[in-house]
Amino acid sequence: MNIDQNVASSTPNFPVSQLNFSLEIKGNKTEIIISSYEDHVMVIATQIGAMGTILHASLSGVSKPLVLSLGLKDHSAGTLKGIVSAVIDKRLW
């Protein structure tokens, strides 16, 4: 898994904090966008250039629910672990 530092960018806090970067996971270029809104965090991970399946998750005691969009060619556990690892490394919350 290699993060392309040339593609990584972040935007100021207004209107929303956002980080965009790409990495290769199991041979597929994966674009990841992390946006931290006032009331939730949104993560878009795509290998197909589209949003794909959208999921909503929240836990007791966590202040911001997660909205997750996965547009993947490869739905294997290795791909999902790579995405989770990259998001945790780059998190905005």
Side-chain angles (χ1 to χ4, degrees):
M1 172 173 62
N2 297 320
I3 295 178
D4 184 351
Q5 297 298 332
N6 296 327
V7 178
S9 66
S10 75
T11 58
N13 290 339
F14 183 79
V16 58
S17 297
Q18 185 172 327
L19 178 64
N20 303 331
F21 60 96
S22 66
L23 63 152
E24 188 170 315
I25 301 176
K26 296 181 69 180
N28 291 301
K29 182 176 181 182
T30 306
E31 301 286 336
I32 298 179
I33 301 169
I34 305 170
S35 301
S36 181
Y37 295 87
E38 184 176 325
D39 60 347
H40 67 279
V41 173
M42 181 170 194
V43 175
I44 300 171
T46 184
Q47 297 171 334
I48 61 172
M51 289 183 66
T53 302
I54 299 174
L55 307 164
H56 181 270
S58 61
L59 293 171
S60 302
V62 176
S63 61
K64 291 184 179 184
L66 173 67
V67 177
L68 176 64
S69 172
L70 298 173
L72 304 176
K73 293 177 184 177
D74 176 8
H75 292 85
S76 70
T79 295
L80 296 176
K81 286 179 185 179
I83 291 168
V84 169
S85 177
V87 169
I88 288 171
D89 288 345
K90 300 281 189 179
R91 68 179 156 210
L92 288 175
W93 61 93

